Amino acid sequence: MDRLLLLLPTRTYRTEAFLDAARTLRVEIVCASERPNVLEERAPDTLLTLDFADPDGAAALVTEFHRTRPIRAVVGVDDLTATVAAAIAARLGLRGNPVSAASAARNKREMRERLAGAGVPIPRFAVVGLDEVPAVVARRTAYPCVLKPLALSASRGVIRADSVREFIAAFRRIAAILKEAGSSGEAARFLLVEVFVPGAEVALEGLLVGGFLHTLALFDKPDPLDGPFFEETIYVTPSRLAGDVQARIAAVTANACRALGLAEGPIHAELRVSGDGPCVLEVAARSIGGLCSRALRFGTGMSLEELILRHALDWELDSLERERRPAGVMMIPIPRAGKLEAVHGKEAAEAVPGIEEVALTAHLGQELQPLPEGWQYLGFIFARADTPEAVEGALRAAHARLAFEIS
Ligand code: ADP
Ligand code: CA
């Protein structure tokens, strides 16, 4: 049986989907996480503790493990573990991305610099030190702009500013978020300031195979994302953009992957389509976050995670074709801070035609924190229907039937 190493960050929604895929494929899974698992002593063949902040150290430990229990593939499930997976793959000669590519995709400054260097369209940007005087930087900035951390995700700490006053407030707020998030190194000392790019936003879910980018799905994000915070909400595929625009999005994303040096495995790219064409906001060397992958099925019902594991193992990929039926997901945003006391209307929401599932991930009693400080969702709504419009309508109707009591 082939053995695959899965790198699981402490906070992730992705574990179950990957473990299900491994079960379907009948591969042996070794799970690595950062906190020593109480079961590790009893199951030394299937559980490992690694320090994800130290990719080289992690690779050394896995090399040791590999001597007696050979590993055929390694998969990281988020931005951080993707860099560790790259280090392990390089050390063991497994399929993966170059370490420098995975780490460039994780650091917004490096990503911007590499993309700009290769002529890939990106927003005009500046790197600002947190030790600079915000009022001074604010006065030399063009508006509207977006301030963001170098290495957080899920729109955490991403804030639009339309004026000097808003810039200063956003600057201070991000500094506090970085402290709270325990950021270190460069990510704790700088932030990125970018021109705000107006226009429709899309997400491209792709799989790189030998440097070639296969588009698995292109999602429209039909809710306006104009800030000041950028809550991810509705994703619908296939995209309703014109075919030639979609082709340009795929081409620009492929160029971005090449510029970063990414060559193998999943990518999740976000772009804005403005008057000048597609503009890359980011390319992450991982698959879509949260439970969102449940909206995708390939070939004869294969999950995204199965595709990812098959590719990592260098197994045959029968089909990278998404099912024909339009599908979508809504990440249910947290409307305000407080304690979740009750949720009403789940059954009514699930009764909306087209709705397949309402998965509530926040638990009762949980302390909720909205953006820009928070990073979680209340849950996820999934829909399939005959048209993208109907998918979007079903998601909105289901969300309207849910009521969250927050004290
Ligand atoms: P994260 O890695 O936290 O997701 P992103 O850079 O992807 O950070 O930004 C999150 C969201 O903020 C984007 O999906 C987009 O809606 C918005 N955003 C970020 N940068 C810009 C920009 N320069 N112009 C317009 N919107 C932006
Ligand atoms: Ca993003």
Side-chain angles (χ1 to χ4, degrees), residues 79 105-106 108 111-112 122-124 144-160 192-199 201-202 221 223-232 235 268 270-272 279-284 286 371 377:
D79 299 298
R106 210 191 140 233
K108 291 192 163 72
M111 174 158 38
R112 288 274 171 271
I122 55 166
R124 251 189 308 125
C145 71
V146 176
L147 293 84
K148 61 173 83 165
L150 296 188
L152 292 183
S153 56
S155 302
R156 199 172 170 206
V158 180
I159 306 176
R160 169 175 167 161
L192 204 60
V193 179
E194 297 180 353
V195 168
F196 174 82
V197 181
E201 188 164 320
V202 293
K221 303 189 188 183
D223 272 339
L225 288 159
D226 291 327
F229 313 130
F230 299 90
E231 245 156 20
E232 302 256 42
Y235 271 52
H268 179 80
E270 279 155 355
L271 302 92
R272 288 237 164 172
C279 173
V280 176
L281 292 183
E282 70 169 342
V283 179
R286 56 157 172 86
L371 280 176
Y377 302 106

Short mmCIF file of all heavy atoms in Angstrom, two decimals, residues 79 105-106 108 111-112 122-124 144-160 192-199 201-202 221 223-232 235 268 270-272 279-284 286 371 377, ligand 1:
data_model
loop_
_atom_site.label_atom_id
_atom_site.label_comp_id
_atom_site.label_asym_id
_atom_site.label_seq_id
_atom_site.Cartn_x
_atom_site.Cartn_y
_atom_site.Cartn_z
N ASP A 79 -1.29 27.26 3.23
CA ASP A 79 -0.11 27.98 2.72
C ASP A 79 1.17 27.57 3.44
O ASP A 79 2.19 27.33 2.81
CB ASP A 79 -0.31 29.49 2.88
CG ASP A 79 -1.50 29.99 2.09
OD1 ASP A 79 -1.49 29.86 0.86
OD2 ASP A 79 -2.46 30.49 2.72
N ALA A 105 4.97 32.01 -2.88
CA ALA A 105 3.50 32.06 -2.98
C ALA A 105 2.88 32.38 -1.62
O ALA A 105 1.72 32.76 -1.54
CB ALA A 105 2.96 30.73 -3.50
N ARG A 106 3.66 32.22 -0.58
CA ARG A 106 3.13 32.42 0.76
C ARG A 106 3.40 33.82 1.29
O ARG A 106 2.78 34.27 2.26
CB ARG A 106 3.82 31.42 1.69
CG ARG A 106 2.95 31.03 2.80
CD ARG A 106 3.69 30.27 3.86
NE ARG A 106 3.18 30.75 5.11
CZ ARG A 106 3.90 31.21 6.09
NH1 ARG A 106 5.20 31.22 6.00
NH2 ARG A 106 3.32 31.64 7.19
N LYS A 108 3.36 37.71 0.46
CA LYS A 108 2.79 38.61 -0.54
C LYS A 108 3.83 39.56 -1.12
O LYS A 108 3.71 39.97 -2.27
CB LYS A 108 1.61 39.38 0.06
CG LYS A 108 0.43 38.46 0.33
CD LYS A 108 -0.83 39.25 0.64
CE LYS A 108 -2.06 38.39 0.50
NZ LYS A 108 -2.22 37.41 1.58
N MET A 111 5.83 37.44 -3.62
CA MET A 111 4.95 37.13 -4.75
C MET A 111 4.84 38.34 -5.67
O MET A 111 5.03 38.24 -6.88
CB MET A 111 3.56 36.74 -4.22
CG MET A 111 2.54 36.55 -5.32
SD MET A 111 1.13 35.53 -4.87
CE MET A 111 0.84 36.00 -3.19
N ARG A 112 4.54 39.51 -5.07
CA ARG A 112 4.41 40.73 -5.87
C ARG A 112 5.69 41.02 -6.65
O ARG A 112 5.64 41.39 -7.82
CB ARG A 112 4.14 41.93 -4.94
CG ARG A 112 2.75 41.93 -4.33
CD ARG A 112 1.80 42.60 -5.28
NE ARG A 112 0.42 42.46 -4.88
CZ ARG A 112 -0.37 41.45 -5.22
NH1 ARG A 112 0.08 40.48 -5.96
NH2 ARG A 112 -1.63 41.42 -4.83
N ILE A 122 -0.36 42.97 -11.99
CA ILE A 122 -0.71 42.98 -10.57
C ILE A 122 -1.01 44.42 -10.17
O ILE A 122 -0.65 45.34 -10.90
CB ILE A 122 0.44 42.43 -9.68
CG1 ILE A 122 1.74 43.22 -9.95
CG2 ILE A 122 0.66 40.95 -9.91
CD1 ILE A 122 2.81 42.99 -8.91
N PRO A 123 -1.64 44.64 -9.01
CA PRO A 123 -1.87 46.03 -8.58
C PRO A 123 -0.54 46.71 -8.27
O PRO A 123 0.39 46.05 -7.81
CB PRO A 123 -2.69 45.88 -7.29
CG PRO A 123 -3.09 44.44 -7.19
CD PRO A 123 -2.18 43.65 -8.07
N ARG A 124 -0.45 48.00 -8.54
CA ARG A 124 0.73 48.74 -8.11
C ARG A 124 0.84 48.64 -6.60
O ARG A 124 -0.17 48.72 -5.90
CB ARG A 124 0.63 50.21 -8.54
CG ARG A 124 1.62 50.52 -9.67
CD ARG A 124 1.71 52.00 -9.97
NE ARG A 124 0.39 52.58 -10.21
CZ ARG A 124 -0.09 53.63 -9.54
NH1 ARG A 124 0.63 54.22 -8.60
NH2 ARG A 124 -1.28 54.11 -9.84
N PRO A 144 -8.28 55.24 -3.93
CA PRO A 144 -8.36 54.29 -2.82
C PRO A 144 -7.22 53.27 -2.87
O PRO A 144 -6.73 52.93 -3.94
CB PRO A 144 -9.71 53.60 -3.04
CG PRO A 144 -10.00 53.76 -4.50
CD PRO A 144 -9.34 55.03 -4.93
N CYS A 145 -6.82 52.80 -1.67
CA CYS A 145 -5.78 51.77 -1.59
C CYS A 145 -6.24 50.65 -0.68
O CYS A 145 -7.27 50.74 -0.02
CB CYS A 145 -4.47 52.38 -1.09
SG CYS A 145 -4.53 52.83 0.65
N VAL A 146 -5.45 49.56 -0.69
CA VAL A 146 -5.73 48.43 0.19
C VAL A 146 -4.46 48.15 0.99
O VAL A 146 -3.37 48.06 0.42
CB VAL A 146 -6.11 47.17 -0.63
CG1 VAL A 146 -6.29 45.95 0.28
CG2 VAL A 146 -7.38 47.42 -1.44
N LEU A 147 -4.62 48.06 2.32
CA LEU A 147 -3.49 47.68 3.18
C LEU A 147 -3.67 46.23 3.58
O LEU A 147 -4.79 45.81 3.87
CB LEU A 147 -3.46 48.55 4.45
CG LEU A 147 -3.15 50.04 4.29
CD1 LEU A 147 -4.41 50.81 3.93
CD2 LEU A 147 -2.57 50.59 5.59
N LYS A 148 -2.57 45.47 3.60
CA LYS A 148 -2.70 44.06 3.98
C LYS A 148 -1.42 43.49 4.56
O LYS A 148 -0.33 43.96 4.24
CB LYS A 148 -3.16 43.23 2.77
CG LYS A 148 -2.20 43.25 1.60
CD LYS A 148 -2.62 42.28 0.50
CE LYS A 148 -3.67 42.86 -0.42
NZ LYS A 148 -3.82 42.05 -1.67
N PRO A 149 -1.57 42.47 5.41
CA PRO A 149 -0.40 41.79 5.96
C PRO A 149 0.32 41.00 4.86
O PRO A 149 -0.29 40.68 3.83
CB PRO A 149 -0.99 40.81 6.99
CG PRO A 149 -2.41 41.23 7.19
CD PRO A 149 -2.83 41.92 5.94
N LEU A 150 1.59 40.66 5.07
CA LEU A 150 2.32 39.89 4.07
C LEU A 150 1.95 38.42 4.09
O LEU A 150 2.06 37.73 3.08
CB LEU A 150 3.84 40.00 4.31
CG LEU A 150 4.48 41.38 4.18
CD1 LEU A 150 6.00 41.24 4.25
CD2 LEU A 150 4.09 42.04 2.87
N ALA A 151 1.56 37.89 5.23
CA ALA A 151 1.44 36.43 5.31
C ALA A 151 0.25 35.91 6.12
O ALA A 151 0.35 34.88 6.76
CB ALA A 151 2.74 35.83 5.85
N LEU A 152 -0.86 36.63 6.10
CA LEU A 152 -2.08 36.03 6.67
C LEU A 152 -2.95 35.60 5.50
O LEU A 152 -2.60 35.77 4.34
CB LEU A 152 -2.81 37.00 7.58
CG LEU A 152 -2.09 37.36 8.89
CD1 LEU A 152 -2.96 38.26 9.75
CD2 LEU A 152 -1.69 36.11 9.68
N SER A 153 -4.12 35.02 5.81
CA SER A 153 -5.00 34.58 4.72
C SER A 153 -6.45 34.78 5.12
O SER A 153 -6.74 35.31 6.20
CB SER A 153 -4.73 33.12 4.36
OG SER A 153 -4.88 32.33 5.51
N ALA A 154 -7.36 34.37 4.24
CA ALA A 154 -8.81 34.51 4.47
C ALA A 154 -9.22 35.96 4.67
O ALA A 154 -10.14 36.27 5.42
CB ALA A 154 -9.25 33.64 5.65
N SER A 155 -8.53 36.88 4.00
CA SER A 155 -8.82 38.31 4.06
C SER A 155 -8.61 38.91 5.44
O SER A 155 -9.03 40.04 5.70
CB SER A 155 -10.26 38.61 3.60
OG SER A 155 -10.46 38.14 2.30
N ARG A 156 -7.96 38.17 6.31
CA ARG A 156 -7.70 38.68 7.65
C ARG A 156 -6.73 39.85 7.56
O ARG A 156 -5.66 39.74 6.96
CB ARG A 156 -7.09 37.55 8.47
CG ARG A 156 -7.17 37.76 9.94
CD ARG A 156 -6.72 36.50 10.64
NE ARG A 156 -6.56 36.75 12.04
CZ ARG A 156 -5.74 36.06 12.84
NH1 ARG A 156 -5.03 35.08 12.34
NH2 ARG A 156 -5.66 36.35 14.11
N GLY A 157 -7.14 41.00 8.12
CA GLY A 157 -6.27 42.16 8.11
C GLY A 157 -6.19 42.89 6.78
O GLY A 157 -5.35 43.76 6.61
N VAL A 158 -7.05 42.56 5.83
CA VAL A 158 -7.06 43.27 4.55
C VAL A 158 -8.09 44.40 4.63
O VAL A 158 -9.27 44.15 4.84
CB VAL A 158 -7.39 42.31 3.38
CG1 VAL A 158 -7.38 43.07 2.05
CG2 VAL A 158 -6.39 41.15 3.33
N ILE A 159 -7.63 45.65 4.49
CA ILE A 159 -8.50 46.81 4.74
C ILE A 159 -8.33 47.85 3.63
O ILE A 159 -7.20 48.21 3.27
CB ILE A 159 -8.17 47.46 6.11
CG1 ILE A 159 -8.23 46.41 7.24
CG2 ILE A 159 -9.13 48.62 6.39
CD1 ILE A 159 -7.83 46.94 8.61
N ARG A 160 -9.44 48.34 3.12
CA ARG A 160 -9.40 49.43 2.14
C ARG A 160 -9.37 50.77 2.86
O ARG A 160 -10.03 50.96 3.88
CB ARG A 160 -10.64 49.34 1.24
CG ARG A 160 -10.83 50.57 0.36
CD ARG A 160 -11.99 50.38 -0.57
NE ARG A 160 -12.37 51.66 -1.20
CZ ARG A 160 -13.09 51.74 -2.30
NH1 ARG A 160 -13.51 50.63 -2.90
NH2 ARG A 160 -13.40 52.90 -2.81
N LEU A 192 1.79 45.54 3.20
CA LEU A 192 1.74 45.87 1.78
C LEU A 192 0.64 46.91 1.58
O LEU A 192 -0.44 46.79 2.16
CB LEU A 192 1.39 44.58 1.03
CG LEU A 192 1.78 44.44 -0.42
CD1 LEU A 192 3.28 44.53 -0.60
CD2 LEU A 192 1.30 43.08 -0.94
N VAL A 193 0.93 47.91 0.77
CA VAL A 193 -0.09 48.89 0.40
C VAL A 193 -0.25 48.81 -1.12
O VAL A 193 0.74 48.90 -1.84
CB VAL A 193 0.31 50.32 0.81
CG1 VAL A 193 -0.76 51.32 0.39
CG2 VAL A 193 0.54 50.39 2.31
N GLU A 194 -1.47 48.60 -1.57
CA GLU A 194 -1.72 48.43 -3.01
C GLU A 194 -2.79 49.38 -3.50
O GLU A 194 -3.66 49.80 -2.74
CB GLU A 194 -2.24 47.01 -3.29
CG GLU A 194 -1.28 45.93 -2.96
CD GLU A 194 -1.88 44.57 -3.27
OE1 GLU A 194 -3.08 44.46 -3.60
OE2 GLU A 194 -1.13 43.60 -3.15
N VAL A 195 -2.75 49.64 -4.78
CA VAL A 195 -3.84 50.36 -5.42
C VAL A 195 -5.09 49.48 -5.35
O VAL A 195 -5.00 48.27 -5.55
CB VAL A 195 -3.50 50.60 -6.91
CG1 VAL A 195 -4.71 51.09 -7.70
CG2 VAL A 195 -2.34 51.56 -7.02
N PHE A 196 -6.23 50.07 -5.03
CA PHE A 196 -7.48 49.31 -5.07
C PHE A 196 -7.87 49.09 -6.53
O PHE A 196 -8.00 50.05 -7.30
CB PHE A 196 -8.59 50.06 -4.34
CG PHE A 196 -9.93 49.38 -4.46
CD1 PHE A 196 -10.27 48.32 -3.64
CD2 PHE A 196 -10.85 49.80 -5.43
CE1 PHE A 196 -11.50 47.68 -3.77
CE2 PHE A 196 -12.08 49.16 -5.57
CZ PHE A 196 -12.41 48.10 -4.73
N VAL A 197 -8.02 47.83 -6.91
CA VAL A 197 -8.39 47.49 -8.29
C VAL A 197 -9.90 47.22 -8.33
O VAL A 197 -10.35 46.26 -7.72
CB VAL A 197 -7.65 46.23 -8.79
CG1 VAL A 197 -8.02 45.91 -10.23
CG2 VAL A 197 -6.15 46.41 -8.64
N PRO A 198 -10.66 48.05 -9.02
CA PRO A 198 -12.10 47.79 -9.08
C PRO A 198 -12.39 46.67 -10.07
O PRO A 198 -11.50 46.26 -10.82
CB PRO A 198 -12.68 49.12 -9.58
CG PRO A 198 -11.57 49.73 -10.38
CD PRO A 198 -10.26 49.22 -9.79
N GLY A 199 -13.60 46.17 -10.05
CA GLY A 199 -13.98 45.17 -11.05
C GLY A 199 -14.40 43.86 -10.44
O GLY A 199 -14.29 43.64 -9.23
N GLU A 201 -14.49 40.03 -9.35
CA GLU A 201 -13.44 39.15 -8.82
C GLU A 201 -13.76 37.69 -9.12
O GLU A 201 -14.93 37.28 -9.06
CB GLU A 201 -13.30 39.36 -7.31
CG GLU A 201 -12.09 38.62 -6.73
CD GLU A 201 -11.70 39.10 -5.34
OE1 GLU A 201 -11.73 40.33 -5.10
OE2 GLU A 201 -11.34 38.26 -4.51
N VAL A 202 -12.72 36.94 -9.44
CA VAL A 202 -12.89 35.50 -9.70
C VAL A 202 -11.84 34.72 -8.92
O VAL A 202 -10.82 35.27 -8.51
CB VAL A 202 -12.73 35.15 -11.20
CG1 VAL A 202 -13.86 35.73 -12.03
CG2 VAL A 202 -11.37 35.59 -11.73
N LYS A 221 -17.36 35.55 -8.09
CA LYS A 221 -17.74 35.98 -6.73
C LYS A 221 -18.75 37.10 -6.92
O LYS A 221 -18.37 38.27 -7.07
CB LYS A 221 -16.52 36.50 -5.97
CG LYS A 221 -15.38 35.49 -5.87
CD LYS A 221 -14.31 36.02 -4.92
CE LYS A 221 -13.08 35.17 -4.91
NZ LYS A 221 -12.09 35.66 -3.93
N ASP A 223 -20.91 38.72 -5.17
CA ASP A 223 -21.12 39.83 -4.23
C ASP A 223 -20.07 40.90 -4.48
O ASP A 223 -18.91 40.57 -4.71
CB ASP A 223 -20.98 39.34 -2.78
CG ASP A 223 -22.31 38.84 -2.22
OD1 ASP A 223 -23.36 39.23 -2.77
OD2 ASP A 223 -22.29 38.07 -1.26
N PRO A 224 -20.47 42.17 -4.44
CA PRO A 224 -19.47 43.22 -4.64
C PRO A 224 -18.44 43.18 -3.52
O PRO A 224 -18.79 43.05 -2.35
CB PRO A 224 -20.28 44.52 -4.59
CG PRO A 224 -21.57 44.15 -3.93
CD PRO A 224 -21.81 42.70 -4.19
N LEU A 225 -17.16 43.23 -3.89
CA LEU A 225 -16.09 43.20 -2.88
C LEU A 225 -15.39 44.55 -2.93
O LEU A 225 -14.32 44.69 -3.52
CB LEU A 225 -15.13 42.04 -3.17
CG LEU A 225 -15.71 40.65 -2.89
CD1 LEU A 225 -14.96 39.57 -3.66
CD2 LEU A 225 -15.68 40.35 -1.40
N ASP A 226 -16.04 45.56 -2.34
CA ASP A 226 -15.51 46.92 -2.41
C ASP A 226 -14.93 47.41 -1.09
O ASP A 226 -14.50 48.54 -0.98
CB ASP A 226 -16.61 47.87 -2.88
CG ASP A 226 -16.97 47.62 -4.35
OD1 ASP A 226 -16.04 47.24 -5.12
OD2 ASP A 226 -18.14 47.77 -4.72
N GLY A 227 -14.96 46.57 -0.07
CA GLY A 227 -14.38 46.94 1.22
C GLY A 227 -15.36 47.71 2.08
O GLY A 227 -16.52 47.83 1.70
N PRO A 228 -14.91 48.25 3.20
CA PRO A 228 -13.52 48.31 3.67
C PRO A 228 -12.91 46.95 4.03
O PRO A 228 -11.71 46.81 4.03
CB PRO A 228 -13.60 49.21 4.90
CG PRO A 228 -15.01 49.09 5.40
CD PRO A 228 -15.84 48.90 4.16
N PHE A 229 -13.77 45.95 4.35
CA PHE A 229 -13.24 44.60 4.59
C PHE A 229 -13.73 43.72 3.47
O PHE A 229 -14.70 44.04 2.80
CB PHE A 229 -13.70 44.08 5.96
CG PHE A 229 -13.51 45.09 7.05
CD1 PHE A 229 -14.56 45.41 7.91
CD2 PHE A 229 -12.31 45.76 7.19
CE1 PHE A 229 -14.39 46.37 8.90
CE2 PHE A 229 -12.14 46.74 8.17
CZ PHE A 229 -13.19 47.04 9.03
N PHE A 230 -13.06 42.58 3.28
CA PHE A 230 -13.35 41.78 2.08
C PHE A 230 -13.78 40.38 2.44
O PHE A 230 -13.04 39.42 2.29
CB PHE A 230 -12.13 41.79 1.16
CG PHE A 230 -11.76 43.17 0.68
CD1 PHE A 230 -10.89 43.96 1.40
CD2 PHE A 230 -12.34 43.69 -0.47
CE1 PHE A 230 -10.57 45.24 0.99
CE2 PHE A 230 -12.03 44.97 -0.91
CZ PHE A 230 -11.14 45.75 -0.17
N GLU A 231 -14.99 40.29 2.92
CA GLU A 231 -15.55 39.01 3.30
C GLU A 231 -15.75 38.14 2.08
O GLU A 231 -16.44 38.53 1.14
CB GLU A 231 -16.95 39.28 3.85
CG GLU A 231 -17.08 38.95 5.27
CD GLU A 231 -18.20 39.74 5.90
OE1 GLU A 231 -19.09 40.24 5.19
OE2 GLU A 231 -18.15 39.83 7.12
N GLU A 232 -15.22 36.93 2.12
CA GLU A 232 -15.54 35.97 1.08
C GLU A 232 -16.96 35.52 1.34
O GLU A 232 -17.29 35.17 2.46
CB GLU A 232 -14.63 34.74 1.22
CG GLU A 232 -13.17 35.06 1.15
CD GLU A 232 -12.59 34.66 -0.18
OE1 GLU A 232 -13.25 34.91 -1.22
OE2 GLU A 232 -11.49 34.12 -0.18
N TYR A 235 -19.40 31.87 -3.97
CA TYR A 235 -18.60 31.40 -5.10
C TYR A 235 -19.53 30.59 -6.00
O TYR A 235 -20.18 29.67 -5.52
CB TYR A 235 -17.53 30.42 -4.62
CG TYR A 235 -16.19 30.99 -4.20
CD1 TYR A 235 -16.09 32.02 -3.27
CD2 TYR A 235 -15.01 30.43 -4.69
CE1 TYR A 235 -14.84 32.49 -2.87
CE2 TYR A 235 -13.77 30.90 -4.29
CZ TYR A 235 -13.70 31.94 -3.38
OH TYR A 235 -12.46 32.39 -2.98
N HIS A 268 -4.71 27.94 -5.91
CA HIS A 268 -5.94 28.71 -5.76
C HIS A 268 -5.55 30.16 -6.05
O HIS A 268 -4.79 30.76 -5.29
CB HIS A 268 -6.49 28.55 -4.35
CG HIS A 268 -7.73 29.33 -4.10
ND1 HIS A 268 -8.97 28.89 -4.51
CD2 HIS A 268 -7.93 30.52 -3.50
CE1 HIS A 268 -9.88 29.79 -4.17
NE2 HIS A 268 -9.28 30.79 -3.56
N GLU A 270 -6.61 34.21 -7.11
CA GLU A 270 -7.67 35.21 -7.10
C GLU A 270 -7.28 36.36 -8.00
O GLU A 270 -6.14 36.84 -7.94
CB GLU A 270 -7.91 35.69 -5.66
CG GLU A 270 -8.78 34.70 -4.93
CD GLU A 270 -8.63 34.71 -3.44
OE1 GLU A 270 -7.76 35.43 -2.92
OE2 GLU A 270 -9.39 33.98 -2.79
N LEU A 271 -8.20 36.76 -8.86
CA LEU A 271 -7.92 37.84 -9.81
C LEU A 271 -9.09 38.80 -9.86
O LEU A 271 -10.23 38.43 -9.55
CB LEU A 271 -7.70 37.28 -11.23
CG LEU A 271 -6.59 36.27 -11.46
CD1 LEU A 271 -7.13 34.85 -11.30
CD2 LEU A 271 -5.99 36.43 -12.84
N ARG A 272 -8.79 40.03 -10.23
CA ARG A 272 -9.83 41.01 -10.52
C ARG A 272 -9.81 41.28 -12.02
O ARG A 272 -8.73 41.33 -12.63
CB ARG A 272 -9.56 42.31 -9.77
CG ARG A 272 -9.82 42.15 -8.30
CD ARG A 272 -10.84 43.16 -7.86
NE ARG A 272 -11.36 42.78 -6.56
CZ ARG A 272 -12.16 43.53 -5.84
NH1 ARG A 272 -12.53 44.73 -6.27
NH2 ARG A 272 -12.62 43.11 -4.68
N CYS A 279 -6.12 40.99 -13.49
CA CYS A 279 -5.04 41.46 -12.62
C CYS A 279 -4.95 40.46 -11.46
O CYS A 279 -5.96 40.16 -10.82
CB CYS A 279 -5.44 42.86 -12.15
SG CYS A 279 -4.40 43.58 -10.93
N VAL A 280 -3.76 39.93 -11.21
CA VAL A 280 -3.61 38.88 -10.19
C VAL A 280 -3.54 39.47 -8.79
O VAL A 280 -2.70 40.32 -8.51
CB VAL A 280 -2.32 38.06 -10.45
CG1 VAL A 280 -2.10 37.03 -9.34
CG2 VAL A 280 -2.37 37.38 -11.81
N LEU A 281 -4.44 39.05 -7.91
CA LEU A 281 -4.34 39.45 -6.50
C LEU A 281 -3.46 38.47 -5.75
O LEU A 281 -2.63 38.86 -4.95
CB LEU A 281 -5.73 39.51 -5.85
CG LEU A 281 -6.65 40.62 -6.37
CD1 LEU A 281 -7.96 40.60 -5.59
CD2 LEU A 281 -5.98 41.99 -6.26
N GLU A 282 -3.67 37.17 -5.99
CA GLU A 282 -2.73 36.21 -5.40
C GLU A 282 -2.85 34.84 -6.02
O GLU A 282 -3.87 34.48 -6.61
CB GLU A 282 -2.89 36.14 -3.88
CG GLU A 282 -4.15 35.50 -3.40
CD GLU A 282 -4.10 35.22 -1.89
OE1 GLU A 282 -3.00 35.22 -1.31
OE2 GLU A 282 -5.17 34.99 -1.31
N VAL A 283 -1.76 34.08 -5.87
CA VAL A 283 -1.75 32.67 -6.27
C VAL A 283 -1.23 31.89 -5.06
O VAL A 283 -0.09 32.10 -4.65
CB VAL A 283 -0.80 32.41 -7.46
CG1 VAL A 283 -0.82 30.92 -7.82
CG2 VAL A 283 -1.21 33.25 -8.66
N ALA A 284 -2.06 31.05 -4.50
CA ALA A 284 -1.64 30.25 -3.35
C ALA A 284 -1.36 28.83 -3.83
O ALA A 284 -2.06 28.31 -4.70
CB ALA A 284 -2.74 30.24 -2.29
N ARG A 286 -2.00 25.92 -2.87
CA ARG A 286 -2.86 25.01 -2.11
C ARG A 286 -4.22 25.02 -2.76
O ARG A 286 -4.49 25.83 -3.65
CB ARG A 286 -2.98 25.49 -0.66
CG ARG A 286 -3.50 26.94 -0.60
CD ARG A 286 -4.14 27.31 0.69
NE ARG A 286 -4.43 28.75 0.74
CZ ARG A 286 -5.53 29.32 0.26
NH1 ARG A 286 -6.47 28.58 -0.33
NH2 ARG A 286 -5.69 30.63 0.34
N LEU A 371 -14.41 39.93 10.51
CA LEU A 371 -13.26 40.57 9.87
C LEU A 371 -13.16 42.02 10.34
O LEU A 371 -14.17 42.58 10.73
CB LEU A 371 -13.46 40.57 8.35
CG LEU A 371 -13.14 39.27 7.62
CD1 LEU A 371 -13.50 39.43 6.14
CD2 LEU A 371 -11.69 38.88 7.76
N TYR A 377 -15.65 31.18 9.80
CA TYR A 377 -16.98 31.36 9.21
C TYR A 377 -18.01 30.71 10.12
O TYR A 377 -17.69 29.82 10.90
CB TYR A 377 -17.05 30.69 7.83
CG TYR A 377 -16.03 31.22 6.86
CD1 TYR A 377 -14.90 30.48 6.52
CD2 TYR A 377 -16.17 32.50 6.31
CE1 TYR A 377 -13.95 30.97 5.65
CE2 TYR A 377 -15.22 32.99 5.44
CZ TYR A 377 -14.11 32.23 5.11
OH TYR A 377 -13.17 32.74 4.26
P1 ADP B 1 -5.77 36.98 1.72
O1 ADP B 1 -4.54 36.23 1.40
O2 ADP B 1 -5.92 37.30 3.16
O3 ADP B 1 -6.98 36.33 1.14
P2 ADP B 1 -5.87 38.88 -0.48
O4 ADP B 1 -4.72 39.65 -0.96
O5 ADP B 1 -6.31 37.74 -1.30
O6 ADP B 1 -5.58 38.41 1.02
O7 ADP B 1 -7.07 39.89 -0.29
C1 ADP B 1 -8.34 39.47 0.17
C2 ADP B 1 -9.42 40.15 -0.63
O8 ADP B 1 -9.30 41.57 -0.53
C3 ADP B 1 -9.38 39.88 -2.11
O9 ADP B 1 -10.06 38.66 -2.42
C4 ADP B 1 -10.06 41.10 -2.69
O10 ADP B 1 -11.48 41.00 -2.63
C5 ADP B 1 -9.63 42.19 -1.77
N1 ADP B 1 -8.41 42.86 -2.28
C6 ADP B 1 -7.14 42.60 -1.93
N2 ADP B 1 -6.28 43.38 -2.60
C7 ADP B 1 -7.01 44.16 -3.42
C8 ADP B 1 -6.71 45.18 -4.36
N3 ADP B 1 -5.46 45.59 -4.58
N4 ADP B 1 -7.74 45.76 -5.04
C9 ADP B 1 -9.02 45.38 -4.81
N5 ADP B 1 -9.36 44.44 -3.91
C10 ADP B 1 -8.38 43.82 -3.23
#
